[in-house]
Amino acid sequence: MSRRVWRTWAVFLIGAILVGIAASLLAMGSDWASETFLHAIDNRPWLPFIITPLGLMLIIWMTRNLFVGAEGSGIPQAIAALHLKRHKHLRHKLLSLPIAFGKGIMIIMGLLCGASIGREGPTIHIAASISFALTRFARFPHHDISRGLILAGGAAGLASAFNTPLAGVMFAIEEMAKNFEEKTTGTVFTAVIIAGITALAINGNYAYFGTVFAQAEFPGIFSAVVLCGVVGGLLGGSFSAFLVYGGSYLRPWRNSHPYLLALIVGLLLAGIGLVSGGQTWGTGYTEAKTALIGIGLDSEGYPAYKYLATLLSYWSGIPGGIFAPSLSIGAGMGAELSQWLPNISVATVALLGMAAYFTGVVQTPLTAIIIMEMTDNQGILLPVMAVALIADGISKIINPQPIYRALAEDFIRDLSPVHSEKPKDGER
């Protein structure tokens, strides 16, 4: 009942509310940016060859001169901050309010120039930065400072971005922490609830993709689960391997010629967008929703085009997540696989494909519950969990190390090259 305790809880409450507001603002800004870009290039197929390369070059300049540490997805930075136990003073280089502000601005700019990026991973980065900044204004318990606030911010950020509170908690346990501590449970749940309520107050109660009418159609669902699980695991695992190892290969060249790489990537993205009929721009939300309502996509090669566009966007070094593009690729993959499963609805196979590919990329099968919350569909829960487990096993054969763990280790090595700390085996 002391004043210090009440002050601590007041600061925490304000922080959680700010997370919900930040997630909502980024969502609205991202939607505006995507719509503005599509409107600008309508009947102007040549315009992306100017806007996209110049936009990427400007964003790269900002990441190198104004907002250092804001590049990439943002989830690896949050994970790296959790594991900087011997170098806690370096956490501010990964999580800070200036980085959070710059991240939000540059995500909107990236979508405004047509990059294939998502906002959900960056939302987690922004939320973790806001939560970590709270330590300057109140004396939190030690376990909350070291892990609880960062975990709570990440979970709350995902929950607010997708309106998926269960998935937010599961992602914090399964991907960000790995060895979840009992002391942090209340902190995480409280942050998710407060941030989620704030986002709901701003955006209203909604399902991210609306209500999807997918059903577990026995016995054909078994063949769909196996097919989607294997293909999703292969493609998702290859994507994560290409992103990590391809990025490491390009890294020295990107450091020495950042603007030339941005220019080349921008021109390639413009070309892919032209060939695909304009389906690879932005997050891929529209294409994913089209597949989930059972309508075939105009471009039969959409998953391949989006796969390549997302890789290129990340390799360029601009801030941007892979959550939404991965969901879109998976839904498109499922829609195409449905041609081999004529007795099962396109929506059902698209939903299974989304869960399989997403799990193949991030290797967190329990977080596949996010699919159920985003589509307001619990009737296909068991097939979704089964397809996620298959995809996870296949993906680990191709790329044994989870994508966010590998990227987090890069940040840790950069910050503490002499005493770099890899996450322990039990935390992978």
Side-chain angles (χ1 to χ4, degrees):
M1 299 298 292
S2 68
R3 180 179 298 179
R4 182 180 66 83
V5 173
W6 279 107
R7 179 184 176 185
T8 299
W9 273 103
V11 171
F12 180 76
L13 174 63
I14 293 172
I17 292 174
L18 290 176
V19 167
I21 294 174
S24 300
L25 290 176
L26 183 56
M28 291 186 286
S30 299
D31 291 342
W32 170 83
S34 296
E35 294 172 3
T36 301
F37 174 79
L38 293 177
H39 179 73
I41 67 171
D42 188 30
N43 295 323
R44 301 181 186 93
W46 51 268
L47 192 56
F49 289 91
I50 299 175
I51 293 178
T52 306
L54 293 179
L56 294 187
M57 293 173 69
L58 175 59
I59 295 171
I60 291 298
W61 181 86
M62 294 175 68
T63 61
R64 295 173 66 88
N65 295 278
L66 300 179
F67 304 107
V68 179
E71 67 276 5
S73 163
I75 295 176
Q77 287 95 316
I79 295 174
L82 287 172
H83 295 282
L84 283 173
K85 297 177 182 178
R86 293 194 296 251
H87 308 277
K88 296 178 183 179
H89 62 284
L90 296 176
R91 283 176 173 165
H92 70 278
K93 294 186 177 182
L94 297 172
L95 304 175
S96 70
L97 293 181
I99 289 177
F101 176 77
K103 190 94 170 186
I105 294 297
M106 289 186 288
I107 290 301
I108 294 173
M109 291 176 60
L111 293 171
L112 199 56
C113 66
S116 178
I117 56 176
R119 60 175 170 81
E120 291 74 26
T123 301
I124 292 175
H125 191 189
I126 292 170
S129 295
I130 292 173
S131 296
F132 182 68
L134 298 179
T135 58
R136 299 175 55 187
F137 304 101
R139 294 183 179 179
F140 289 90
H142 175 72
H143 62 268
D144 278 346
I145 293 176
S146 61
R147 300 187 66 84
L149 289 176
I150 299 174
L151 284 174
L158 181 61
S160 301
F162 280 126
N163 188 29
T164 52
L166 290 178
V169 174
M170 291 306 302
F171 187 76
I173 297 173
E174 193 175 20
E175 179 55 65
M176 292 186 66
K178 296 296 182 182
N179 57 343
F180 200 61
E181 300 174 6
E182 184 179 355
K183 293 180 180 180
T184 66
T185 304
T187 306
V188 170
F189 273 100
T190 303
V192 168
I193 292 171
I194 297 173
I197 291 174
T198 303
L200 285 177
I202 297 173
N203 303 317
N205 192 11
Y206 68 100
Y208 187 77
F209 286 117
T211 301
V212 175
F213 297 98
Q215 299 177 348
E217 302 162 0
F218 296 97
I221 193 70
F222 294 109
S223 58
V225 166
V226 173
L227 181 61
C228 289
V230 172
V231 176
L234 289 172
L235 292 180
S238 68
F239 177 88
S240 62
F242 279 131
L243 189 144
V244 172
Y245 299 113
S248 297
Y249 178 80
L250 287 172
R251 191 174 184 182
W253 199 72
R254 184 174 62 204
N255 290 338
S256 57
H257 305 284
Y259 304 111
L260 178 58
L261 179 61
L263 175 64
I264 294 172
V265 168
L267 292 174
L268 290 174
L269 289 177
I272 295 171
L274 181 64
V275 173
S276 67
Q279 290 189 313
T280 58
W281 307 120
T283 64
Y285 173 85
T286 301
E287 288 72 24
K289 189 169 184 178
T290 299
L292 289 172
I293 62 178
I295 300 176
L297 298 173
D298 295 336
S299 174
E300 292 185 357
Y302 170 74
Y305 292 134
K306 190 66 175 176
Y307 181 107
L308 182 57
T310 306
L311 275 179
L312 289 170
S313 297
Y314 198 96
W315 284 343
S316 71
I318 67 170
I322 59 174
F323 255 65
S326 295
L327 295 173
S328 182
I329 295 169
M333 179 198 79
E336 294 202 359
L337 291 178
S338 66
Q339 301 175 24
W340 299 85
L341 302 163
N343 296 324
I344 305 177
S345 68
V346 175
T348 299
V349 185
L351 193 148
L352 292 175
M354 177 184 286
Y357 181 82
F358 175 77
T359 303
V361 171
V362 301
Q363 295 183 5
T364 53
L366 292 181
T367 309
I369 195 173
I370 193 174
I371 306 296
M372 315 312 302
E373 290 188 277
M374 287 191 302
T375 58
D376 191 25
N377 187 326
Q378 290 78 40
I380 198 173
L381 175 61
L382 292 180
V384 164
M385 296 306 298
V387 80
L389 289 174
I390 294 173
D392 182 56
I394 297 293
S395 176
K396 287 178 178 176
I397 296 174
I398 299 174
N399 187 31
Q401 187 176 31
I403 183 172
Y404 291 129
R405 296 276 130 181
L407 295 174
E409 288 178 8
D410 288 339
F411 282 104
I412 293 174
R413 280 193 294 268
D414 289 343
L415 290 176
S416 51
V418 178
H419 303 290
S420 61
E421 303 177 31
K422 291 185 179 181
K424 298 178 182 179
D425 292 337
E427 297 176 337
R428 292 186 179 179

